[in-house]
Amino acid sequence: MTTYVITVPGTFLREVPDSVCSDVGRRLRPQDPRNTDLGESEELSVLTREEDGRFAARVEVEAPDRLQAEAEAVRLVSRALRDSGLAEADAPLGPAVVTGIDSEF
């Protein structure tokens, strides 16, 4: 298995209170990329948002390959948003991308 840091971008299409963003971040905390060497050295945050509604969730995922890691990251972020009260239409996600790879051989 390989540990990936995956970035999942998205856009809040309506005003989202800070408390909801905090809840999303809390739900993603177990996958915090700061647990990896890359996340720690780059000081990656699990959730960042811009004033125009754009956001990026960065999560740590263990998977056998990049495609499965990206799919798992989207699933985790989608669930955190949904469980925090946001409908999929309120916060559409963009394509996930690998931000870093940490594998042990």
Side-chain angles (χ1 to χ4, degrees), residues 47-98:
L47 182 68
T48 57
R49 78 173 172 171
E50 303 295 325
E51 290 183 23
D52 64 359
R54 290 178 296 140
F55 66 90
R58 293 171 191 86
V59 294
E60 171 189 341
V61 177
E62 285 195 22
D65 61 46
R66 177 188 61 83
L67 291 176
Q68 289 184 45
E70 290 171 348
E72 176 66 5
V74 168
R75 188 186 68 73
L76 290 167
V77 173
S78 293
R79 184 175 62 208
L81 291 166
R82 183 182 62 246
D83 290 352
S84 296
L86 292 167
E88 205 172 307
D90 293 333
L93 300 177
V97 294
V98 174

Side-chain angles (χ1 to χ4, degrees), residues 5-79:
V5 176
I6 307 291
T7 299
V8 181
T11 304
F12 294 123
L13 297 180
R14 64 175 175 85
E15 185 63 32
V16 175
D18 289 341
S19 61
V20 172
C21 286
S22 294
D23 189 52
V24 172
R26 183 184 56 76
R27 291 175 188 280
L28 292 173
R29 188 65 53 208
Q31 288 80 33
D32 193 335
R34 289 187 190 220
N35 296 329
T36 66
D37 290 337
L38 174 73
E40 185 178 341
S41 68
E42 297 295 323
E43 298 181 8
L44 296 177
S45 297
V46 71
L47 182 68
T48 57
R49 78 173 172 171
E50 303 295 325
E51 290 183 23
D52 64 359
R54 290 178 296 140
F55 66 90
R58 293 171 191 86
V59 294
E60 171 189 341
V61 177
E62 285 195 22
D65 61 46
R66 177 188 61 83
L67 291 176
Q68 289 184 45
E70 290 171 348
E72 176 66 5
V74 168
R75 188 186 68 73
L76 290 167
V77 173
S78 293
R79 184 175 62 208

